[in-house]
């Protein structure tokens, strides 16, 4: 993208490309750049291209007003389609540049001919991935966190992912990080005053204010770094199904997945490895894992399966302990919970399966279930959604950390703040504070690093 001049007029299909099986009702082609309005005239006026009329021509519709126009090939004058055209005058557009959109029928032939017609104009080139959004950033229409929110919104698969992406697009993270920069800049100003005017009578308690400001900033960043909600929402919350053999773990996985994802057998030890399925649980993305039955075994392969089951249970966000109602499930519950690292009765759920054979009363500690008939499944799903909701609610409504690059920059800022607190000289403390603010500024794009911009925007789809 470095070789692409910003002043070029770019174009791209802004809707999914039509296929033979799915032609689509409509397709939208977007243009951005200084000659976007010229493109509208030359494509909708069959003789305008040959005469070279400018974008100030009366044939151009009023900005932000959709009009019905026939789209022509600029060289042959042949009609391609009849649709809607609209243009947006800079800087009042999404990218901050002159923009135009062509809303056409969604057939492959129509879209192919329209894109070829734009290419034949000679002054437009095909946009690169993320270039529209990058231009919006370049023209101050959004910051980097909002740009990443757009990418997340496009990729969102669940309701909660959509909400988080929209929250980030609306500037929740940007406001948080800019508040930290403001606090840091105010603290740095105190340090600079002490450096520039060492012989002046500065306000009493200035050193304490500086230290308090750095400590406060450290504490807020530490809380943000400890928050794993954003990563869980991006990658999925991990729920492990654990328990003794033949309790119905694989049957529960299949029941929740609504398909035969795991082999179900009466033979103990059938599940040897971790089997994963991805679910949408009340709008939350979930990675549900069926694990090997927890028991002592002489079989080396089964021993490895049990080791992996314990490891998955230890690293899971939530656990479902599945027990057999026809056996001594209370004793099994106590022994398994004791042997499972990090078991939390307030969050993890004990599922007593096979209640169609031996009835079990529901209670705070257990969720009765019949995996064969589905009895008890709605109540179990409700408990699971409540547990996930509690896990994802920080109580303060603070926006979560969403990207690895944010974490890396904030960790760098934390290191610099720590050095500033113990710096032997005030000038060194000021320099470390500047480095911390620079690291925070990289997240929103206040501090520009061109290589970083390329990494962020190249993962976008073409047309965004």
């Amino acid at each position: 993208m470095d070789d692409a001049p910003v002043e070029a007029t770019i174009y791209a299909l802004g809707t999914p490309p039509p296929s033979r099986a799915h032609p689509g009702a409509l397709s939208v082609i977007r243009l951005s750049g200084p000659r976007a309005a010229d493109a509208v005239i030359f494509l909708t006026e069959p003789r305008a291209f040959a005469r070279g009329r400018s974008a100030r021509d009366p044939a151009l519709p009023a900005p932000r007003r959709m009009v019905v126009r026939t789209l022509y090939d600029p060289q042959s004058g042949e009609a391609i389609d009849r649709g809607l055209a609209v243009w947006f005058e800079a800087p009042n557009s999404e990218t901050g540049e002159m923009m135009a959109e062509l809303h056409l029928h969604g057939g492959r032939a129509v879209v192919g001919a329209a894109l070829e017609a734009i290419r034949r104009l000679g002054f437009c080139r095909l946009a690169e991935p993320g270039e529209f959004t990058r231009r919006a950033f370049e023209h101050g229409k959004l910051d980097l966190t909002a740009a990443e929110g757009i990418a997340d919104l496009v990729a969102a698969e669940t309701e909660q992912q959509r909400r988080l992406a929209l929250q980030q697009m609306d500037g929740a993270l940007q406001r948080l990080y800019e508040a930290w920069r403001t606090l840091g800049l105010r603290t740095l100003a105190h340090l600079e005053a002490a450096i520039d005017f060492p012989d002046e009578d500065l306000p009493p308690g200035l050193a304490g204010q500086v230290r308090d400001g750095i400590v406060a900033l450290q504490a807020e960043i530490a809380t943000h770094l400890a928050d794993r909600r954003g990563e869980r929402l991006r990658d999925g919350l991990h729920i492990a199904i654990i328990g003794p053999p033949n309790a119905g773990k694989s049957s529960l996985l299949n029941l929740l997945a609504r398909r035969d994802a795991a082999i179900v057998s009466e033979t103990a030890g059938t599940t040897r490895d971790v089997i994963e399925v991805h679910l949408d649980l009340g709008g939350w993305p979930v990675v549900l894992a069926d694990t090997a039955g927890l028991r002592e075994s002489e079989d080396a392969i089964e021993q490895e399966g049990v080791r992996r089951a314990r490891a998955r249970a230890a690293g899971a966000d939530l656990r479902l302990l599945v027990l057999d109602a026809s056996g001594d499930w209370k004793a099994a519950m106590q022994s398994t919970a004791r042997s499972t690292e990090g078991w939390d009765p307030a969050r993890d759920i004990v599922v007593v399966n096979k209640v169609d054979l031996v009835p079990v009363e529901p209670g705070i500690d257990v969720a009765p279930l019949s995996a064969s008939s589905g009895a008890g499944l709605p109540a179990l799903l409700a408990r699971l959604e409540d547990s996930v909701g509690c896990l994802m609610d920080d109580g303060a409504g603070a926006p979560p950390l969403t990207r690895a690059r944010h974490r890396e920059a904030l960790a760098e800022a934390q290191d610099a703040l720590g050095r500033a607190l113990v710096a032997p000289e005030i000038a060194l403390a000021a320099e470390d504070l500047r480095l911390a603010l620079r690291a925070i500024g990289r997240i929103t794009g206040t501090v520009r690093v061109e290589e970083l911009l390329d990494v962020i925007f190249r993962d976008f789809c073409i047309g965004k």
Side-chain angles (χ1 to χ4, degrees), residues 197-204:
F197 307 102
D199 299 327
E200 298 292 332
D201 292 330
L202 297 174

Side-chain angles (χ1 to χ4, degrees), residues 13 16-24 27 80 105-115:
L13 182 64
S19 64
R20 182 175 289 106
H22 303 285
S27 288
I80 297 173
H105 293 96
R108 296 171 65 197
V110 170
V111 171
L115 292 174

Side-chain angles (χ1 to χ4, degrees), residues 79-95:
I80 297 173
D81 188 25
R82 186 168 179 82
L84 298 172
V86 60
W87 73 284
F88 306 87
E89 195 166 28
N92 300 316
S93 70
E94 181 184 346
T95 62

Side-chain angles (χ1 to χ4, degrees), residues 141-193:
K141 292 293 182 177
L142 42 77
D143 72 295
L144 288 184
T145 62
E148 289 167 331
I150 293 174
D152 290 344
L153 188 62
V154 172
E157 297 180 345
T158 72
E159 180 66 12
Q160 297 298 338
Q161 287 176 328
R162 180 194 65 78
R163 289 180 179 178
L164 177 63
L166 194 61
Q167 183 185 39
Q168 187 165 325
M169 274 181 57
D170 288 341
L173 274 179
Q174 189 268 347
R175 289 189 292 272
L176 176 66
Y177 297 149
E178 284 303 304
W180 289 350
R181 271 177 41 85
T182 300
L183 174 59
L185 287 171
R186 186 165 60 246
T187 304
L188 180 59
H190 293 160
L191 281 175
E192 295 285 5

